[in-house]
Each structure stands twice: as C-alpha cells, then as structure tokens.
C-alpha cells in the first residue's frame, strides 16, 4: 500500500512525539520498548520521519481481508453475523447497515490511531513545539514561549500560502491573536498547550496516540 501525504500525517505526528519522548530525560525511561520493538527505536531517535517510514510503513497497513460465508469460526479480523435463511437479499441490505454501523470501518493494522475526538493535526504540532521550546529554554516566560510558537506557526503558514489561497489547506494561527492580546491569556494558552503535550507524550509512551489529552 502506498500512503498519500494526508494519510501519512497522523503517523508523522505520532513519530515526532515518540522521538521527543526517546530524547527527553523525563520521558525516555517511560517508553514501552516492547510495544514499539518493531519500530526500531534506535532509528526513531535520530532518523527523519520520511526515511524511517519508507521501511516501516507496513506497520500501519491494514490486513488484507475478503468477505466469505463463515463455517462458524470467527477470526479476530471479522464479525460473525447470523442471517435467517428466510431473509431476502433486499431485507439483508436494508438491515445490515444499522446492525453493523458501529462495528465496521475499524483499522486492522498493527499500530493504529486512538482518538476520542476528530483528529485535527496542526494543534498537535503546536503543543509539541510549545513543550520543547519551554523545555530547552527554561528561562523564557510563557508569554515569550507564546511568541516563539506564534512565529513558528506563521513561518509554516507562509510555506503553504498558495495552497491556502486555493482552498486546498486551511489557514491556522495560535490562539491568543489578535483578540486575546493580554499576556495573561497568552500564558494560559501556552500552559495548556504544554500540559496537553505532556499528556500526549505520556500516552505515546504507553503505545497510544493521541489518546485522551483534555484539560480535565
């Protein structure tokens, strides 16, 4: 299977969080190395994502499956459904969608994204960048970290200006501008972003991305 750019992006973010964990003094010993053994963590620590993904994309590829009449033995990658033989094909088609709506469309790859909300990727980058900026520059105030993250986002947005103007990508900016101009609001925003990054990193160490990372 060949992944498109958009399909690769969730795994890119997951990889970047794991890479950060592996090189972070507070998280490196929390990584579940047994869970991630097929990722070859020694490579994850230093390689760029695209280089690593070229040889590891099979980890995220769904198992090949096909429909068949079951003999009563259920595999782990299928659902066993009993259909009364007096049902017409039309009746089966009418009812089976409702019956299986919450059971199908599940990924069968060895490693899969786990999220309790729609996955909007840019904020994950902002969270991680805020965490790393504060970690590597402990003398910076939260307001100064906000400025660093805001500039990081603006530089990234400048690179996709044409795609945004054509409606192919959405323009995104850090909360706190232009309406939330006070330093206090910006500090609160960055503090929350850093805490979310820590929660996601904790989840990643356990083998879950992104998992629950809410403020609650």
């Amino acid at each position: 299977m060949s992944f498109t750019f958009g399909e690769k992006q969730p795994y890119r973010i997951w990889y970047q969080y794991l890479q950060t964990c592996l090189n972070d003094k507070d998280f490196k010993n929390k990584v579940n190395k047994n869970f991630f053994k097929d990722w070859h963590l020694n490579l994850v620590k230093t390689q760029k994502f695209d280089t690593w993904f070229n040889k590891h994309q099979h980890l995220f590829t769904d198992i090949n499956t096909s429909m068949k009449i079951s003999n009563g033995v259920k595999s782990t990658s299928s659902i066993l459904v009993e259909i009364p033989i007096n049902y017409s094909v039309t009746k089966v088609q009418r009812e089976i969608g409702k019956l299986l709506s919450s059971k199908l469309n599940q990924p069968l790859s060895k490693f899969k994204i786990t999220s309790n909300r729609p996955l909007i990727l840019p904020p994950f980058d902002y969270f991680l960048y805020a965490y790393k900026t504060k970690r590597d520059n402990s003398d910076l105030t939260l307001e100064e970290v906000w400025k660093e993250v805001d500039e990081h986002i603006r530089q990234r947005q400048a690179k996709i200006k044409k795609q945004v103007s054509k409606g192919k990508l959405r323009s995104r900016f850090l909360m706190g501008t232009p309406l939330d101009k006070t330093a206090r609001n910006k500090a609160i925003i960055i503090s929350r972003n850093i805490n979310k990054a820590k929660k996601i990193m904790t989840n990643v160490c356990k083998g879950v991305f992104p998992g629950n990372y809410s403020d609650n």
Side-chain angles (χ1 to χ4, degrees), residues 44-57:
V44 175
K45 288 181 69 174
T46 58
Q47 283 190 343
K48 291 185 176 180
F49 171 77
D50 287 329
T51 301
W52 176 88
F53 192 77
N54 285 338
K55 294 185 177 181
H56 293 82
Q57 58 183 298

Side-chain angles (χ1 to χ4, degrees), residues 79-110:
I79 296 172
L80 192 62
V81 179
E82 290 188 5
I83 300 175
I85 59 175
N86 65 333
Y87 269 40
S88 66
V89 172
T90 301
K91 188 172 183 178
V92 172
Q93 291 173 333
R94 185 172 64 245
E95 296 186 6
I96 198 157
K98 183 186 298 184
L99 178 67
L100 300 178
S101 60
S102 64
K103 302 292 185 181
L104 298 180
N105 200 29
Q106 304 294 323
L108 292 177
S109 55
K110 186 171 183 179

